[in-house]
Amino acid sequence: MTAPKTLAAEVNSALSEVATFVCSPEMRGVIQELYDLAEEERASYVLSVLLNEGELRKRKIIIPSGMVIQRSAFRDNRPTLFCVTKHLPPGLGWEKVTITFDNTSGMPALAYSQFEDQSSTHVLS
């Protein structure tokens, strides 16, 4: 079992890396583009821009090693548009840290039932 201080240090370090990435000027610009759209257009933007390496490159965004941008769906249908995740080293008893961006309408971009029916996971790393 991992010592609590070791786990806390790994989680804090990984979360800091994700926060630094999502708060970078380039990512803040893309996030602003997303939230400037009408709510019904945001899910499409996630697919066409945030999960599109070419579109991210046009906006000077390079996803750091070990991080992924992905769509997520939860059984409780929380209003997630996308998230940025970093997996932790194995053996810590904790898998990953994630910063999630939600739809202000309160509606999920992807309902859990839709996610289960799709063959791809919609991840870009």
Side-chain angles (χ1 to χ4, degrees):
M1 178 178 233
T2 303
K5 286 184 180 181
T6 302
L7 175 59
E10 290 286 349
V11 168
N12 285 333
S13 175
L15 188 56
S16 178
E17 290 177 43
V18 174
T20 297
F21 172 62
V22 300
C23 291
S24 69
E26 295 83 8
M27 271 301 287
R28 287 179 31 207
V30 169
I31 293 164
Q32 187 62 55
E33 281 181 43
L34 171 70
Y35 285 113
D36 283 346
L37 294 172
E39 290 178 0
E40 61 273 5
E41 297 173 17
R42 293 176 184 164
S44 176
Y45 181 89
V46 169
L47 289 173
S48 64
V49 175
L50 284 162
L51 298 180
N52 182 320
E53 195 172 352
E55 288 297 320
L56 291 177
R57 258 196 315 269
K58 285 181 189 176
R59 292 162 172 82
K60 301 184 183 347
I61 294 174
I62 306 296
I63 301 170
S65 178
M67 281 186 216
V68 295
I69 297 175
Q70 60 189 13
R71 294 196 317 165
S72 293
F74 298 91
R75 287 190 190 275
D76 65 1
N77 283 326
R78 62 188 84 159
T80 303
L81 285 167
F82 77 98
C83 59
V84 179
T85 299
K86 179 171 177 81
H87 284 86
L88 299 172
L92 292 175
W94 199 279
E95 183 182 337
K96 62 187 175 182
V97 296
T98 302
I99 294 180
T100 303
F101 294 85
D102 292 341
N103 208 359
T104 54
S105 70
M107 296 301 296
L110 180 64
Y112 189 81
S113 59
Q114 291 172 298
F115 192 71
E116 286 183 314
D117 294 339
Q118 294 184 0
S119 60
S120 65
T121 59
H122 302 284
V123 175
L124 183 62
S125 59

